[in-house]
Amino acid sequence: MTYVVTRSCCADASCVLACPVNCIHPAPGEPGFGQTEMLYVDPRTCVDCGACTTACPVDALKPHTGLTEAELPFLELNRSYYDTHPHEDRTPMALVPPQRRTFASELRVAVVGAGPAGLFAADELLRYPGVTVTVHDRLPTPYGLARAGVAPDHQDTKQVARLFRAVESQPGFSYRLNTEVGRDLHHEDLVRDHHAVIYAVGAATDRRLGIDGEELPGSVSATDFTAWYNGHPDHGDDRYALDGERAVVIGNGNVALDVARILTADPDTLARTDISDRALAALRTSRVREVVVLGRRGPAEAAFTLPELLALAALDGVDVLVDGRPADVPAGATPKTGVLAELAARNPVPGRRRIVLRFRTSPVRILGDDRVTGLTVVRTGPRAGDAAGTAGTAGTAGTIETSLVLRAIGYRARPVPGLPFDEATGTVPHDRGRVRPGVYVAGWIKRGPKGFIGTNKSCAQETVSTLLDDLEAGLLTAPAAPGSGAHPGAVGLDGWRAIDEEERAEGRLQGRPRVKIVDREALLAAARSVPARRSRR
């Protein structure tokens, strides 16, 4: 028997450390670690001990005898990785942080951003004695996209919160949530009160299409839509036009698949997740029956990951189709195109909701007067299903009737006050995370909106290593003041734990992981241990 990684995972290397025979790759220090979609177990050398399963924080590892039918493709996916990445060296590994000299005194660091990048940076720093880390975030709740971006039907991925809770419990860790840099305190305050500041503020906005009609009601950001159904307090009162039978998602990354899945999911199934109650009520009355996912490039270049595509293909009660003929999808090119070829061969089941993946198609105009009524598109190459010599060539336009267009073409960061900003890349210029001695970046504000949750770990490791290099070189300035303390509205670790417990307690009553509080004032009330009314969710 062999163990199998069954989804995109956190890639935090816990399983690598636990494995006694070093059969899980890529491992830290190897090419691809932190960049691949997932880790892989080599079935030839797995000794069936199960140590990896107890170490995995997101339950991504299973024995091959325990795989569901939907998970069976992962068995071959794990095995085939080693055809091109043999990893002949099987020496058991132990990861030990690089040894550095003992700090002569305390090291006080501020981290701005309580998402995965910020918390991984805090974790790396707190491995060393004498370090204190204060993590700031403008929201009353931490975890960033792990809380407000991961789709509610991916509860296994959300278990990465176990790692974050462990980070929070370390000596020297503290929160200042509900604290916005530039409003409640300023960059100069952080620099004055700390040896170093790490900005891990992510990418909070979305990229624009730049086409006519983009501002019409019914043309919306998938970033905002995702935040809405995840209960983000900035989007609790949002409203979306779900009164038409077709929605179009522009983009074919993982976020596009998440949105398509949520729009076509059975509301009773979603009711067992931590989806926002307000979003759930809206989805119960939704008339959407079909979601068309448009990709500018061909099937082989699709941006979504193979694990996400496999999960989509395994949906029950929803038809997942590819617009075109099986022969037009290069089945043998990659494992991903193999799955797409199988989807292209499927026949729709009458009466079912459906998700249609359409490639080599770009939007050119959103139609409508006072709201969206359609989308004009142009082909960027021969579309699957077009016979040679027909009109199916690049540049051929058409119209898709729809009342809802969601753009899912990527995130974009905002400039950070006090830091340089590259408008072309949407990042802060840096050298291995160093903006200048004492000021650093990690996560998407550092490298752009790419990678996976686990990518933030290796990214944070690099930034922290650079920070410690600067400390040892004497380049950091000691704080000029002992610290002014939190502003009156700040939420600390105890406040977050009070929010967390209230949401979980309500969830237990309803048979759900948690029932999210979506109003900022209600979150602050919960942080003060003021009893919450269900009407505020």
Side-chain angles (χ1 to χ4, degrees):
M1 185 172 74
T2 182
Y3 280 78
V4 182
V5 178
T6 59
R7 66 181 71 94
S8 295
C9 55
C10 66
D12 82 320
S14 297
C15 59
V16 177
L17 286 171
C19 178
V21 293
N22 193 21
C23 72
I24 305 175
H25 295 273
E30 295 175 347
F33 179 75
Q35 305 299 322
T36 56
E37 298 173 358
M38 54 189 282
L39 302 184
Y40 305 86
V41 176
D42 187 346
R44 299 172 302 167
T45 53
C46 176
V47 295
D48 187 25
C49 68
C52 56
T53 63
T54 58
C56 179
V58 295
D59 294 338
L61 282 139
K62 292 185 178 181
H64 86 270
T65 54
L67 300 178
T68 65
E69 184 176 353
E71 293 167 337
L72 285 175
F74 286 96
L75 181 61
E76 173 60 19
L77 183 62
N78 278 246
R79 186 207 63 77
S80 62
Y81 171 80
Y82 293 92
D83 290 342
T84 53
H85 303 82
H87 289 290
E88 295 298 338
D89 178 11
R90 298 296 171 187
T91 304
M93 68 181 302
L95 297 180
V96 179
Q99 296 302 303
R100 294 179 178 271
R101 67 173 176 83
T102 303
F103 301 148
S105 59
E106 70 167 355
L107 173 66
R108 191 156 66 236
V109 181
V111 175
V112 182
L119 291 173
F120 281 134
D123 187 34
E124 291 300 318
L125 286 162
L126 292 170
R127 296 172 186 268
Y128 299 93
V131 179
T132 58
V133 179
T134 303
V135 178
H136 303 71
D137 200 283
R138 70 177 188 86
L139 296 179
T141 56
Y143 304 170
L145 289 181
R147 174 179 168 97
V150 175
D153 60 344
H154 278 7
Q155 289 298 309
D156 45 11
T157 304
K158 294 195 176 193
Q159 291 183 53
V160 72
R162 296 177 185 174
L163 291 175
F164 302 150
R165 286 194 289 271
V167 175
E168 295 167 349
S169 300
Q170 295 183 58
F173 181 94
S174 63
Y175 273 135
R176 288 185 188 172
L177 305 174
N178 195 45
T179 301
E180 184 172 349
V181 176
R183 180 194 66 186
D184 303 306
L185 76 170
H186 299 278
H187 172 71
E188 294 76 14
D189 301 324
L190 295 172
V191 171
R192 181 195 65 217
D193 295 343
H194 300 83
H195 293 85
V197 183
I198 299 175
Y199 283 90
V201 293
T205 61
D206 67 301
R207 294 175 57 196
R208 309 286 291 180
L209 293 168
I211 61 176
D212 290 342
E214 191 170 8
E215 303 303 326
L216 282 170
S219 168
V220 300
S221 159
T223 303
D224 292 346
F225 189 76
T226 299
W228 168 70
Y229 64 61
N230 271 309
H232 192 294
D234 289 351
H235 297 277
D237 294 326
D238 288 359
R239 297 289 184 269
Y240 293 96
L242 304 179
D243 53 349
E245 293 195 355
R246 179 183 292 120
V248 177
V249 182
I250 300 170
N252 62 6
N254 286 348
V255 172
L257 297 195
D258 285 347
V259 169
R261 221 174 43 251
I262 296 301
L263 281 170
T264 55
D266 179 357
D268 289 338
T269 299
L270 292 176
R272 298 192 290 271
T273 73
D274 64 346
I275 191 171
S276 159
D277 280 353
R278 295 175 185 176
L280 179 62
L283 290 167
R284 285 192 182 281
T285 61
S286 169
R287 296 183 58 209
V288 175
R289 304 294 300 174
E290 178 181 86
V291 179
V292 179
V293 180
L294 298 183
R296 179 177 59 83
R297 296 180 294 180
E301 296 79 33
F304 47 70
T305 62
L306 180 57
E308 287 298 316
L309 179 61
L310 288 170
L312 192 76
L315 289 177
D316 288 329
V318 178
D319 284 333
V320 181
L321 310 169
V322 171
D323 182 14
R325 303 175 308 191
D328 297 300
V329 180
T334 66
K336 189 185 297 183
T337 58
V339 177
L340 291 170
E342 186 273 325
L343 293 176
R346 290 185 180 181
N347 293 316
V349 177
R352 278 188 176 181
R353 294 183 180 182
R354 68 175 63 176
I355 298 170
V356 181
L357 306 179
R358 183 170 171 179
F359 298 99
R360 300 190 179 97
T361 305
S362 288
V364 294
R365 184 181 181 187
I366 298 175
L367 305 175
D369 294 324
D370 55 355
R371 61 170 294 177
V372 171
T373 59
L375 177 69
T376 300
V377 298
V378 61
R379 296 183 187 175
T380 55
R383 197 181 71 202
D386 292 333
T390 68
T393 58
T396 301
T399 298
I400 303 174
E401 293 184 5
T402 181
S403 57
L404 180 62
V405 174
L406 298 111
R407 58 182 180 275
I409 56 174
Y411 293 86
R412 181 174 173 80
R414 297 189 181 103
V416 178
L419 274 63
F421 190 72
D422 185 334
E423 289 287 350
T425 62
T427 61
V428 170
H430 66 92
D431 176 17
R432 298 179 64 250
R434 180 195 300 109
V435 181
R436 56 182 177 269
V439 180
Y440 306 85
V441 286
W444 281 0
I445 192 65
K446 170 186 173 184
R447 67 181 192 275
K450 56 188 177 183
F452 314 98
I453 289 178
T455 311
N456 291 296
K457 186 174 181 68
S458 54
C459 176
Q461 287 172 335
E462 179 187 63
T463 295
V464 170
S465 179
T466 301
L467 185 158
L468 296 178
D469 287 344
D470 289 350
L471 174 67
E472 293 184 348
L475 299 178
L476 301 187
T477 303
S484 57
H487 73 96
V491 173
L493 178 57
D494 288 344
W496 157 236
R497 285 177 170 169
I499 294 171
D500 185 45
E501 177 52 36
E502 181 169 329
E503 290 183 340
R504 288 173 176 272
E506 187 67 25
R508 287 191 291 269
L509 293 176
Q510 299 187 28
R512 301 169 64 182
R514 68 173 66 237
V515 176
K516 285 181 177 174
I517 304 171
V518 302
D519 291 329
R520 183 182 288 269
E521 290 305 314
L523 285 165
L524 296 177
R528 296 189 297 266
S529 299
V530 176
R533 298 190 301 272
R534 289 179 60 186
S535 62
R536 72 192 186 196
R537 294 183 176 87

